Amino acid sequence: MKKGKTIRLIRIMLLMGFLLPGLAFFEGGRAARAALPSAQALLQSGDACRKSLLQSPGKKKFRENWLGCIETYSRIYTLYPDKDESAWALYHAARLYRDMFEVSRLPSDIEEALKLFQRLLDQYPEHRLADDALFGMADIYENQRKDLTQAYLEYLKVTIRYPDGDMRPYASKRLDALSKAMSSAQESSATGGKQTAEDAAAEESPVRTGGGPDVKPARTPSGKARVTDIRHWSTPSYTRVVVDLSAPIKYQEHLLKADPDANKPRRFYIDLENAVVPAEINPLIPIKDDLLQKARAGQYDKDTVRVVLDMKKVGRYKVFHLYDPFRIVVDVQRLEEKEAVAAAPKTSAPAKQRAVQKGVRKAEKPGSDSVSLARQLGLGVNRIVIDPGHGGKDPGCIGHGSLREKDVTLSLAKVLAAEIKKELGCEVILTRTKDVYLPLERRTAIANMEKADLFISLHVNAHRDSRVHGLETYFLNMALDENAMMVAARENATSEKSISDLQNILNDLMMNTKINESSRLAYQVQGGMVQRLKRGYKEVRDLGVKQAPFYVLIGAQMPAILVEIGFITNGSERKRLPTTTYQNRVAQGISAGIKSYVQEMTAAYKGG
């Protein structure tokens, strides 16, 4: 035999010597797996174990019996993660841990239940059991953890994520029940508090009839809600009326035509069910502008309060309600004939010639020779209202070292006003220029009364996890994820439970809201901020543009956004937020975003 062939033969023999044991091992492994029970068989075994356990009070006393059934289910989602049976195994194992907690009272059992429900959601988000798992988590938060706010949020996720799921009606019922429970808890714990003189002055409207803080119980002994105040802010083209109540109620709106023979103007009225008007409330509120003559409230019958608005030149109106405290908001606009002039570019009258709402100060106006970029482009974006979030008795988020959101937003608003004036030549109006409290509905009213072309509300974010950081910008719409819901709930000074209630009213409100323009403005401002901050800072995180139902944006008649400029709960961003350098860069970014928005809208307008 030739030497080359001999060498090749030796190599083949050596190779076979290595392969044969491996092949034998492989065959043995395959045989071992073939000997394993199928996923279906394991599921049947687990189900039999579970049913036997739950039907036997004696067996339920011993932990090993629970763990034995759980172990059977564990083998399924460990060995067969791609099988349908795995989702069922995760679901039943989670429920067993939850039920075992009722015997053991070990917090670790509840934690395991939540983990397994979450694992099912993560691995099988479209499975028929996904909504059951989410409902199971909500049930744990409600009944085992007694965390009603988190429970409400989880039930809300069921209705949003799985609107066609079989658990949606059950989740809706739990939402209604929790809403009542949480409202009752808030009412029973409600206490009055004294305002500072500065807060009271800032909160004062042209007509304020409530006579001070309501320290009475939320409802009368007969269960009726009290009308606690009627407020309004008004101009010749826009009026906002707010009816404050001590507790949530149902209401109906009606419109009556004018009756010249009886010398009665066109009237709009709201019937408040199960409500009363206390003696200290002034029943007659003179308004006397080109829209409304007066508003009056009276006890129509023993169970109904009727609030009537006598109208003059009213075109459109919107009615909606807000929570914590419950109040009904009526926005009234001038007749359509006025709108024919609105398309023409606006020119600002000298500041001294225009009445300025109390508590509102304009930034220094550009000189008569300056022409704004927006005006050059022909879009009429000449007046911008900047809203520093929170203020006065409402500090907003508070970080370590007593850093307060209300202080950061006010400082930034002043920097931003100067930046916009310098770069764009626009007039800027601040909703507040000092540390005073403003109701959210008044901030929007200011923007509408001043006929702003853009409205930007400034805020600082917070999160339970201190590692979370970044910037995000919002426009008005329903929240699409739980984080957005939580941010909106915090900025609305309300609980997550009230966010879902806005779904019903937002459908109507969106008809006249500039969603598309607000969305474009949000994207440009978000991009401008991130770009400018990345030039000077590391680890600048872009959290993107989101949508949520912020009270301060509801009813705005112009493109409106809410900007979260960082997290006060994150160590790095907390150090940056109060610094001049950081605020200057944020202001430059927002201003650049506004400029890009104007250019984009101009291009779209010319292209159209």
Side-chain angles (χ1 to χ4, degrees):
M1 183 180 294
K2 294 184 179 179
K3 184 177 180 180
K5 291 183 178 180
T6 302
I7 293 174
R8 283 196 297 273
L9 181 60
I10 291 172
R11 287 177 177 172
I12 291 172
M13 292 175 68
L14 289 171
L15 182 60
M16 290 299 292
F18 282 110
L19 286 177
L20 286 174
L23 287 171
F25 176 80
F26 176 77
E27 288 297 330
R30 185 164 61 182
R33 282 195 299 274
L36 286 174
S38 65
Q40 185 177 10
L42 283 172
L43 184 60
Q44 290 174 349
S45 176
D47 288 346
C49 179
R50 174 175 53 85
K51 292 175 183 177
S52 175
L53 170 66
L54 297 179
Q55 291 172 0
S56 173
K59 288 184 178 180
K60 288 194 288 186
K61 294 179 181 179
F62 299 97
R63 186 174 182 82
E64 59 265 25
N65 294 330
W66 294 89
L67 295 178
C69 297
I70 291 172
E71 175 60 27
T72 303
Y73 286 126
S74 175
R75 294 180 66 192
I76 300 172
Y77 55 76
T78 301
L79 295 172
Y80 304 103
D82 297 329
K83 295 285 188 179
D84 180 75
E85 287 83 358
S86 288
W88 286 95
L90 284 166
Y91 179 73
H92 288 311
R95 287 173 62 95
L96 283 173
Y97 269 116
R98 183 201 65 187
D99 294 343
M100 184 167 60
F101 169 78
E102 299 302 326
V103 179
S104 70
R105 309 310 297 180
L106 293 175
S108 59
D109 289 339
I110 281 296
E111 290 299 323
E112 287 300 320
L114 289 171
K115 286 180 182 178
L116 291 176
F117 277 137
Q118 188 62 58
R119 183 171 174 179
L120 193 161
L121 285 167
D122 293 340
Q123 294 183 204
Y124 312 99
E126 304 302 324
H127 195 277
R128 55 177 292 191
L129 285 174
D131 59 333
D132 296 76
L134 194 50
F135 187 92
M137 294 178 68
D139 181 73
I140 287 175
Y141 282 113
E142 178 184 4
N143 296 304
Q144 278 76 35
R145 288 242 181 124
K146 307 301 181 183
D147 185 344
L148 300 189
T149 299
Q150 189 64 34
Y152 195 97
L153 185 57
E154 300 301 326
Y155 286 127
L156 187 59
K157 292 179 193 176
V158 175
T159 64
I160 293 176
R161 293 184 184 177
Y162 304 102
D164 299 323
D166 60 347
M167 298 308 295
R168 186 180 188 279
Y170 298 103
S172 296
K173 289 182 180 179
R174 295 310 308 148
L175 286 171
D176 291 340
L178 281 177
S179 180
K180 293 178 182 178
M182 295 167 76
S183 294
S184 297
Q186 290 175 349
E187 290 171 13
S188 64
S189 62
T191 57
K194 292 184 177 180
Q195 293 175 298
T196 65
E198 192 174 38
D199 284 349
E203 200 173 352
E204 181 181 313
S205 61
V207 176
R208 187 163 181 81
T209 59
D214 180 16
V215 296
K216 299 178 180 179
R219 294 187 185 273
T220 66
S222 60
K224 294 181 175 60
R226 294 182 176 86
V227 176
T228 60
D229 205 353
I230 300 177
R231 299 170 285 149
H232 84 272
W233 301 276
S234 185
T235 66
S237 60
Y238 168 83
T239 297
R240 170 167 281 190
V241 178
V242 179
V243 181
D244 297 307
L245 292 112
S246 63
I249 53 98
K250 293 182 179 179
Y251 59 93
Q252 295 182 357
E253 58 188 83
H254 306 271
L255 182 64
L256 296 178
K257 295 181 179 180
D259 186 353
D261 295 335
N263 196 28
K264 290 185 178 180
R266 190 181 181 204
R267 284 161 293 157
F268 168 83
Y269 68 91
I270 308 173
D271 281 341
L272 314 180
E273 301 177 10
N274 200 30
V276 295
V277 179
E280 62 267 24
I281 295 294
N282 184 355
L284 182 61
I285 301 98
I287 298 177
K288 297 181 180 179
D289 59 28
D290 284 347
L291 293 179
L292 300 176
Q293 293 178 335
K294 59 186 175 181
R296 59 188 189 276
Q299 198 71 43
Y300 182 70
D301 58 38
K302 65 176 183 177
D303 297 319
T304 308
V305 170
R306 176 165 291 182
V307 178
V308 182
L309 306 181
D310 290 341
M311 299 180 166
K312 291 175 67 178
K313 300 177 180 179
V314 173
R316 296 192 303 269
Y317 64 88
K318 294 182 291 187
V319 182
F320 56 93
H321 57 272
L322 305 174
Y323 290 86
D324 300 336
F326 187 85
R327 64 265 199 204
I328 299 170
V329 182
V330 184
D331 277 347
V332 183
Q333 297 180 50
R334 195 175 175 83
L335 281 169
E336 298 291 335
E337 61 186 14
K338 186 72 176 179
E339 297 178 0
V341 188
K346 287 186 280 189
T347 57
S348 301
K352 293 182 179 179
Q353 296 177 8
R354 298 176 56 247
V356 181
Q357 187 73 12
K358 186 174 183 180
V360 181
R361 182 180 67 86
K362 299 174 180 58
E364 183 181 354
K365 283 196 59 174
S368 58
D369 294 333
S370 81
V371 180
S372 73
L373 169 69
R375 192 172 301 159
Q376 291 179 47
L377 295 172
L379 278 187
V381 181
N382 303 316
R383 186 176 302 137
I384 299 174
V385 167
I386 304 296
D387 173 45
H390 306 278
K393 64 183 181 182
D394 174 19
C397 303
I398 301 176
H400 296 297
S402 300
L403 180 65
R404 301 177 299 184
E405 178 179 4
K406 67 175 184 177
D407 299 327
V408 175
T409 58
L410 180 58
S411 175
L412 173 61
K414 294 176 180 179
V415 174
L416 178 58
E419 180 69 21
I420 290 175
K421 174 184 175 259
K422 181 182 73 172
E423 294 297 325
L424 303 179
C426 293
E427 178 186 7
V428 180
I429 299 170
L430 303 185
T431 58
R432 67 180 180 96
T433 60
K434 54 185 178 179
D435 183 19
V436 294
Y437 172 75
L438 292 178
L440 294 174
E441 57 269 22
R442 182 179 178 184
R443 297 168 189 263
T444 323
I446 289 172
N448 289 338
M449 289 189 297
E450 297 292 345
K451 298 182 181 179
D453 301 303
L454 300 177
F455 178 63
I456 299 175
S457 189
L458 303 176
H459 293 264
V460 178
N461 224 328
H463 200 279
R464 285 173 290 186
D465 186 346
S466 62
R467 296 170 297 179
V468 175
H469 66 285
L471 302 96
E472 56 192 10
T473 305
Y474 288 86
F475 62 95
L476 179 67
N477 210 333
M478 278 306 300
L480 296 182
D481 63 71
E482 54 269 27
N483 287 331
M485 284 188 282
M486 292 173 67
V487 173
R490 186 181 67 252
E491 299 297 1
N492 291 347
T494 184
S495 59
E496 287 87 352
K497 71 182 180 65
S498 302
I499 299 301
S500 66
D501 294 325
L502 287 174
Q503 177 70 65
N504 295 328
I505 66 171
L506 278 182
N507 290 334
D508 294 331
L509 291 177
M510 292 304 170
M511 296 295 290
N512 296 318
T513 301
K514 299 180 180 294
I515 296 180
N516 291 335
E517 293 92 333
S518 297
S519 173
R520 289 187 178 188
L521 176 61
Y523 276 101
Q524 294 294 351
V525 166
Q526 176 71 11
M529 285 194 303
V530 171
Q531 185 181 39
R532 292 303 171 100
L533 286 173
K534 282 186 174 180
R535 295 178 184 176
Y537 296 94
K538 296 180 180 179
E539 298 182 356
V540 174
R541 187 180 181 191
D542 182 0
L543 296 178
V545 172
K546 302 175 183 178
Q547 54 193 62
F550 289 97
Y551 285 1
V552 76
L553 302 181
I554 293 178
Q557 297 171 3
M558 70 294 299
I561 61 174
L562 184 144
V563 181
E564 298 278 4
I565 65 167
F567 283 79
I568 204 169
T569 47
N570 177 265
S572 297
E573 292 189 342
R574 183 168 58 249
K575 293 177 182 177
R576 299 172 185 172
L577 285 167
T579 65
T580 302
T581 302
Y582 187 81
Q583 292 184 13
N584 281 337
R585 288 190 179 274
V586 171
Q588 291 166 7
I590 294 176
S591 178
I594 295 173
K595 180 177 180 179
S596 296
Y597 164 79
V598 172
Q599 292 173 333
E600 179 185 47
M601 295 300 289
T602 301
Y605 176 78
K606 291 181 177 179

